[in-house]
Amino acid sequence: MDRMHLKIEASIIACVIMILLCSCNLFVTDKDKFYLDKDLNYTLSRIDIKKTGPDIVIPEKVGDRTVWRIYLADPYYSKIDSLDISNVKELESFTIKLFGMNTGTKLKKLDFSKNKKLKYIDISKTTSLKKVIFNNKCEYIYLKGTSIKSVNLKNLKELESFIYRDGPLEELDTSNNPNLESIKIADTNIKRLDVTKNPKLKYIIVDEGTQIIGPTNAQIEYNKRAE
C-alpha cells in the first residue's frame, strides 16, 4: 500500500508540474514578447528574444494595436536568426541597427514582399545579411554594413532615394526607377553607374574612379574610399 501510495503521489506531483509549465507558456502573450512605445507613436521598438526565440515572427497586432512601424536599434538584436514580417500588413517603416561590425549577427535574409504599404527601409551594421527582397511601394532604402552583393530594384517605380555604404555591392541597375532623386553609393565594388533612365536625379555620390554613364543635371560628389 505504501509503495502504491508513493506512486500515486509521484504521479500527482508530475501532473502538477506539467500543468504549471504549460500554463506558463499559455500566459505568455504577444504583449510579453513585443513592446510598442507609445512615446514613438506606438512603434514596435523592443522584442524579448528570450520569449520569442531567435526565429522571430512579428504579429500583425500586439494587443489591440496594429504594428505599423518597427525600429530595432541595439546590438542585442544580433541574437536574431530569422525575422518574418510577412504578417505585418500595415507596416510603413522598418529600421534595424545593430551598431558595431562584430555583433555576431546571423540574420541572412529579409523579405518585404508582403508588406505592400512599406515605404521606408533602414538597415545598418547587419553584416551577415546577404539578401533583401523589396516591396514595390518602397520610396527610401538605406543599407550600410551588410554583405549584400546585388539588389533588385526593377519593380520599385516609386523609389526616390537609394543609399548603400560599406559593403560588397557589385552593380546597380536603376533603369526602372524613373522617380529616383538621390543615389549614394560609397565604399562598394561598383565601377560604373548608368543614370540614363533617371531624369529626376538631383544628387549622386559615388566612389572615386566610378564611371557615370548618361547625361545628368544632378550634383555629383566623389567619395574617397576608406582605407
Side-chain angles (χ1 to χ4, degrees):
M1 289 294 290
D2 289 342
R3 184 174 296 179
M4 180 65 69
H5 184 70
L6 288 172
K7 285 183 178 180
I8 293 171
E9 283 189 350
S11 297
I12 292 172
I13 291 170
C15 289
V16 170
I17 291 173
M18 289 296 294
I19 291 170
L20 288 172
L21 290 173
C22 290
S23 65
C24 288
N25 289 331
L26 288 172
F27 285 111
V28 175
T29 66
D30 285 338
K31 280 189 174 182
D32 299 310
K33 301 174 185 177
F34 306 97
Y35 175 74
L36 301 185
D37 191 338
K38 65 180 180 179
D39 293 330
L40 296 174
N41 204 2
Y42 293 97
T43 294
L44 194 161
S45 62
R46 290 206 299 273
I47 299 174
D48 190 336
I49 299 175
K50 289 183 179 179
K51 294 175 181 175
T52 63
D55 297 299
I56 298 170
V57 179
I58 297 181
E60 183 177 11
K61 291 186 175 183
V62 176
D64 60 353
R65 293 280 181 180
T66 299
V67 178
W68 72 287
R69 181 184 293 173
I70 297 172
Y71 186 93
L72 304 173
D74 197 291
Y76 170 72
Y77 298 111
S78 63
K79 297 177 182 180
I80 296 173
D81 287 351
S82 66
L83 190 61
D84 184 344
I85 52 177
S86 60
N87 296 320
V88 193
K89 305 301 183 184
E90 301 298 316
L91 187 64
E92 296 181 19
S93 174
F94 176 90
T95 298
I96 185 167
K97 298 181 179 183
L98 300 183
F99 305 105
M101 294 300 286
N102 298 310
T103 55
T105 173
K106 296 179 182 179
L107 187 62
K108 294 184 178 180
K109 178 181 176 182
L110 285 169
D111 185 348
F112 299 107
S113 60
K114 303 294 184 181
N115 308 108
K116 303 302 183 182
K117 295 185 177 182
L118 182 61
K119 295 183 178 181
Y120 180 98
I121 296 174
D122 182 344
I123 301 170
S124 300
K125 306 297 185 182
T126 311
T127 53
S128 64
L129 191 67
K130 294 183 177 181
K131 185 175 183 179
V132 177
I133 300 173
F134 300 108
N135 70 315
N136 294 347
K137 297 293 183 180
C138 201
E139 296 177 1
Y140 177 95
I141 296 172
Y142 180 94
L143 304 172
K144 181 178 181 180
T146 71
S147 295
I148 298 170
K149 291 184 178 181
S150 64
V151 292
N152 183 355
L153 307 180
K154 184 177 180 180
N155 296 318
L156 279 65
K157 303 294 184 182
E158 299 178 29
L159 186 64
E160 295 178 2
S161 179
F162 179 83
I163 303 168
Y164 184 106
R165 305 183 70 93
D166 303 332
L169 190 66
E170 296 176 345
E171 60 180 1
L172 182 65
D173 183 354
T174 60
S175 59
N176 289 291
N177 311 113
N179 290 306
L180 259 180
E181 296 182 2
S182 176
I183 299 175
K184 301 176 184 179
I185 46 177
D187 298 314
T188 73
N189 294 326
I190 290 179
K191 304 299 182 185
R192 60 195 293 273
L193 178 66
D194 189 339
V195 296
T196 306
K197 300 293 182 65
N198 308 118
K200 295 185 179 181
L201 268 179
K202 298 177 181 178
Y203 196 61
I204 299 171
I205 293 180
V206 292
D207 289 319
E208 288 181 342
T210 302
Q211 180 185 9
I212 296 178
I213 299 172
T216 180
N217 293 320
Q219 177 183 342
I220 301 174
E221 182 178 332
Y222 290 94
N223 171 65
K224 187 175 182 180
R225 291 178 182 270
E227 296 295 334

